[in-house]
Amino acid sequence: ELCRDLSSVSIQMMKLKDLFPACDVASMVINSPWLLSEDSETIRSELDALRDIFPFAGEGGTPGVDRMVQAVPQLLDSTFTY
C-alpha cells in the first residue's frame, strides 16, 4: 500500500531527514520500514523523551540520540529504555 503513494514516501523521507540530519535515513528505513508510516510528530516526541533520558548523549565523543536511534530504532519507543 505504501509503495503506491510515492509522494507520501518522499515527504516522510524528508521529514525523517529533518529529524535525523546526521544519519543515513535511507539505511534506517531499509532496516526499519515502519518509520515510513510512523507520524513524524510522534517520532519527534519520542526523540525529545530520549534526550531527557540521555541528557549527556553526544558529549565527550559519545553518540548522540539520533545515532543511537539509527543503531537501535526500538529506542523510539521511550518506554523500551526503562
Side-chain angles (χ1 to χ4, degrees):
E1 183 66 32
L2 189 59
C3 291
R4 292 180 188 199
D5 189 0
L6 295 179
S7 173
S8 291
V9 170
S10 87
I11 290 169
Q12 184 68 358
M13 289 290 288
M14 290 188 306
K15 288 178 180 179
L16 289 169
K17 188 61 181 171
D18 189 45
L19 291 169
F20 301 97
C23 296
D24 180 355
V25 171
S27 176
M28 289 173 69
V29 167
I30 288 169
N31 293 318
S32 302
W34 57 269
L35 289 169
L36 288 175
S37 59
E38 190 71 32
D39 178 64
S40 61
E41 287 306 312
T42 300
I43 294 172
R44 183 181 309 280
S45 174
E46 292 297 331
L47 281 172
D48 290 342
L50 284 171
R51 288 184 181 108
D52 289 341
I53 294 168
F54 300 106
F56 301 108
E59 295 180 10
T62 62
V65 168
D66 55 342
R67 295 284 185 176
M68 292 166 55
V69 170
Q70 181 175 345
V72 183
Q74 293 84 355
L75 288 172
L76 285 174
D77 176 3
S78 59
T79 60
F80 174 80
T81 59
Y82 289 110

